[in-house]
């Protein structure tokens, strides 16, 4: 057709050597997404429509006056994919993420989660006595800006990385408390970064009114150490009548730890989760050892902040009939995995390369995990004690 002929002429007339730096950057981002993106229809654009996005964006940045104009054009191109996790990272954003990954920075002791609907950046939790806690930030607060850079629209990883830096340096955080509205509700605090230890797993044994004993285990987030900590907690809770694992406020963390944690409660051969790429090829994560406890009645508490690795852990146990899920809401619903690909300009592009399916074949992305036992917010809200959540359930 005439349109296709024009596209071919444009492609032939614009060899890589003739492209500007801005156009080369657009092309690099487009190619990585074209190669990896999990949705082969490119959000309904189709392959031809996605190619048109490349050409129109390359044209748009031909006379770009500055980097911000180029970055805005790239973000506009990626927005057509309808996936908030596939996004462009500027060199400073990628550098901040790399510093976190390599341990070259300190922080303020706060866990964040971005709301995919409102784009608000919400504080999930703060580490007691860490800079954020001492500065007055509380769970449920909304982060407005970090050092003047707006938080809305960014990923939690990017905003958290912006809060990190050399120990002893300062960062200015603009925020408002949960439920506060209006310009006057906004507050600003300067925090001094420090080395902050990640909150470890907490465990204990509670005696129920009928004299039965229940192990209560709180997992704030999943890290490489979590499966070992969980195994230790189970060894220290012998001869209990039930196990309660509290995942409220757990935004995920290290995905393999969610898988390995679930293995402790499952018999060999049980499927925990499947990773599915664009071609539909599945990689199943299977329980491959003898679980530490495969028989004691198990309950997992979730809320709307429970996400990613925590959802993988909970869904694997729920679908295998090993645990009952308890909560006042469905979980967050993050069932995708990203690959961060560095670019020549020092930035990077984060591309959703796969999705997860639970053992029963459910896609939890944007949906979350539904409780088997639904409680009211008054019974099992963020501030409710575990015994309140479990009253009448055990």
């Amino acid at each position: 057709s005439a349109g296709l002929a024009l596209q071919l002429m444009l492609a032939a007339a614009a060899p890589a050597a003739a492209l500007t730096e801005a156009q080369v950057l657009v092309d690099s981002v487009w190619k990585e997404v074209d190669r990896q993106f999990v949705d082969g229809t490119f959000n309904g654009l189709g392959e031809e429509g996605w190619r048109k996005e490349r050409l129109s964006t390359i044209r748009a940045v031909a006379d770009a006056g500055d980097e911000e104009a180029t970055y805005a054009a790239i973000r506009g191109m990626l927005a057509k994919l309808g996936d908030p996790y596939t996004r462009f990272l500027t060199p400073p954003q990628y550098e901040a993420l790399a510093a976190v990954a390599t341990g070259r920075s300190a922080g303020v002791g706060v866990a964040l989660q971005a709301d995919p609907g409102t784009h608000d950046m919400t504080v999930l939790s703060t580490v007691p006595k860490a800079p954020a806690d001492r500065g007055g930030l509380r769970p449920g607060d909304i982060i407005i800006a970090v050092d003047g850079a707006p938080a809305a629209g960014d990923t939690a990883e990017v905003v958290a990385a912006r809060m990190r830096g050399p120990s002893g340096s300062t960062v200015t955080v603009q925020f408002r408390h949960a439920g506060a509205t209006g310009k006057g509700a906004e507050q600003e605090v300067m925090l001094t970064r420090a080395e902050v230890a990640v909150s470890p797993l907490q465990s204990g044994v509670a005696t129920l009114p009928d004299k039965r004993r229940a192990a209560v285990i709180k997992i704030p987030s999943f890290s490489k150490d979590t499966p070992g900590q969980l195994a230790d907690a189970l060894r220290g809770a012998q001869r209990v009548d039930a196990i309660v694992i509290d995942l409220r406020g757990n935004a995920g963390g290290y995905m393999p730890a969610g898988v390995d944690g679930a293995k402790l409660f499952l018999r060999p051969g049980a499927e925990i989760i499947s990773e599915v790429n664009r071609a539909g090829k599945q990689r199943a994560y299977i329980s491959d050892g003898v679980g530490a406890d495969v028989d004691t009645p198990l309950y997992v508490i979730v809320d709307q902040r429970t996400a990613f690795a925590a959802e993988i852990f909970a869904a694997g146990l729920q679908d295998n009939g090993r645990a009952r899920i308890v909560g006042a809401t469905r979980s967050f619903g993050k069932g995708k995995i990203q690959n961060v690909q560095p670019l020549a300009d020092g930035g990077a592009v984060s591309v959703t390369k796969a999705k997860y399916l639970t053992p029963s074949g459910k896609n939890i992305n944007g949906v979350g995990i539904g409780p088997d036992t639904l409680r009211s917010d008054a019974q099992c809200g963020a501030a409710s004690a575990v015994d309140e959540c479990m009253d009448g359930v055990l």
Side-chain angles (χ1 to χ4, degrees), residues 84-85 112-122 142 153-154 156 304 332:
Y85 306 110
L112 304 173
Q113 190 173 73
D115 187 307
T118 65
H119 304 295
D120 283 341
M121 190 60 59
T122 304
I142 305 299
D154 264 331
Q304 72 275 16
F332 184 79

Side-chain angles (χ1 to χ4, degrees), residues 30-92:
W30 184 90
K31 285 178 178 176
E32 289 300 336
V33 174
D34 185 64
R35 182 173 66 90
Q36 299 185 49
F37 191 54
V38 64
D39 178 7
T41 73
F42 299 99
N43 196 33
L45 292 171
E47 292 184 4
E48 183 176 350
W50 179 233
R51 285 194 294 269
K52 287 180 179 178
E53 287 297 325
R54 169 185 175 271
L55 290 171
S56 64
T57 309
I58 283 177
R59 291 193 196 101
V61 302
D63 299 314
D66 55 40
E67 289 178 337
E68 286 306 319
T70 301
Y71 297 160
I74 291 173
R75 292 187 181 109
M77 177 178 73
L78 297 181
K80 300 291 180 64
L81 298 172
D83 175 31
Y85 306 110
T86 295
R87 60 193 318 278
F88 175 71
L89 302 175
T90 65

